[in-house]
Amino acid sequence: MTIVIDAAAFQLEIRAVAYAWTNILRKLNLWHRLIILDRGSVGSLPRDIVRLPFPNYKGADTAHDSILIERVCRHVGASLFISTYCTTPLKVPSIGVFCDADGFSELFAPASNRTALEFELMVAHARRLLCLTENIKENLIKAHPKLVPMTVRAMAPQRYAKPPLEPVVSGSISMPTASGVDHASDEFWYSVAHSLSATISETISISNEGAFRGFYECWARLRLLQAQVDTTP
């Protein structure tokens, strides 16, 4: 199955998130065909991961961004969409993945600005919410008490020490520096990717149910309306 992953966090230089996703992608491609929407600053990838250049993320044009994401997902026949930040498609099912609470400060703050609202929308659109560790999961549920606990899972039960990520000479922030290599084992990232892969398969299965089709139809209409509002002088 084909999975489209939006690498917006790489463009926005959320280093801890980019570091985590770099490790996850190297394992996740063992089970799925991955297509990365590269908005900039994505470093080297395994050869079998497809990279598609994509427009930069702009917080004031998110509805049109969703429309373009949907078109790409349909074009490549994607079964699922995953964002490294807070982007969403229209009708293609999605999973929300949170790799670092510090990198998503907007998520744990009141929805008083457009970015915070986009995080709220991403949480609402996602069929499943995955957190890298239990402590991030706890913060997410605390910020969103109405979330159904069964829909929020931790990919790794233990905590892990974030590496001291320094700027990389090449200009890419996706690759860990030498000082960060040993902060999580290869087995740790394999376990995380395996958990994500299992959730992907489950989510695709439940998203084919009729009730969810109606949800996505309504979602698409509302998002298209938002795009019209955003372009109205």
Side-chain angles (χ1 to χ4, degrees), residues 51-128:
R51 183 199 307 260
L52 293 180
F54 205 73
N56 286 352
Y57 177 82
K58 298 177 181 178
D61 200 25
T62 52
H64 284 96
D65 195 69
S66 289
I67 294 171
L68 186 55
I69 288 172
E70 178 75 14
R71 289 176 180 171
V72 171
C73 288
R74 294 293 179 183
H75 179 72
V76 301
S79 301
L80 192 78
F81 172 83
I82 302 175
S83 178
T84 61
Y85 192 53
C86 63
T87 52
T88 57
L90 300 180
K91 299 181 182 180
V92 175
S94 68
I95 291 177
V97 178
F98 306 99
C99 292
D100 179 57
D102 296 334
F104 294 110
S105 58
E106 297 93 343
L107 180 60
F108 306 120
S112 58
N113 57 64
R114 183 64 178 263
T115 302
L117 289 173
E118 288 302 319
F119 271 108
E120 296 280 355
L121 289 174
M122 185 266 283
V123 169
H125 188 277
R127 297 273 61 83
R128 290 287 184 269

Side-chain angles (χ1 to χ4, degrees), residues 108 136 188 212:
F108 306 120
I136 297 177
F188 173 87
F212 289 114

Side-chain angles (χ1 to χ4, degrees), residues 22-41:
T22 297
N23 285 282
I24 293 171
L25 290 174
R26 290 170 177 167
K27 307 299 181 185
L28 191 61
N29 74 316
L30 298 174
W31 299 287
H32 305 284
R33 176 175 179 252
L34 304 181
I35 296 178
I36 306 300
L37 303 185
D38 185 359
R39 299 175 185 261
S41 295

Side-chain angles (χ1 to χ4, degrees), residues 121-159:
L121 289 174
M122 185 266 283
V123 169
H125 188 277
R127 297 273 61 83
R128 290 287 184 269
L129 297 172
L130 292 176
C131 301
L132 181 60
T133 58
E134 283 288 346
N135 58 311
I136 297 177
K137 173 185 172 182
E138 292 168 4
N139 287 338
L140 179 62
I141 294 176
K142 186 182 298 183
H144 295 269
K146 294 182 180 180
L147 286 176
V148 179
M150 288 183 60
T151 65
V152 186
R153 302 171 183 170
M155 294 183 285
Q158 71 272 39
R159 298 171 181 266

Side-chain angles (χ1 to χ4, degrees), residues 166-173 175 177:
E166 300 296 335
V168 178
V169 176
S170 66
S172 165
I173 51 88
M175 301 298 289
T177 60

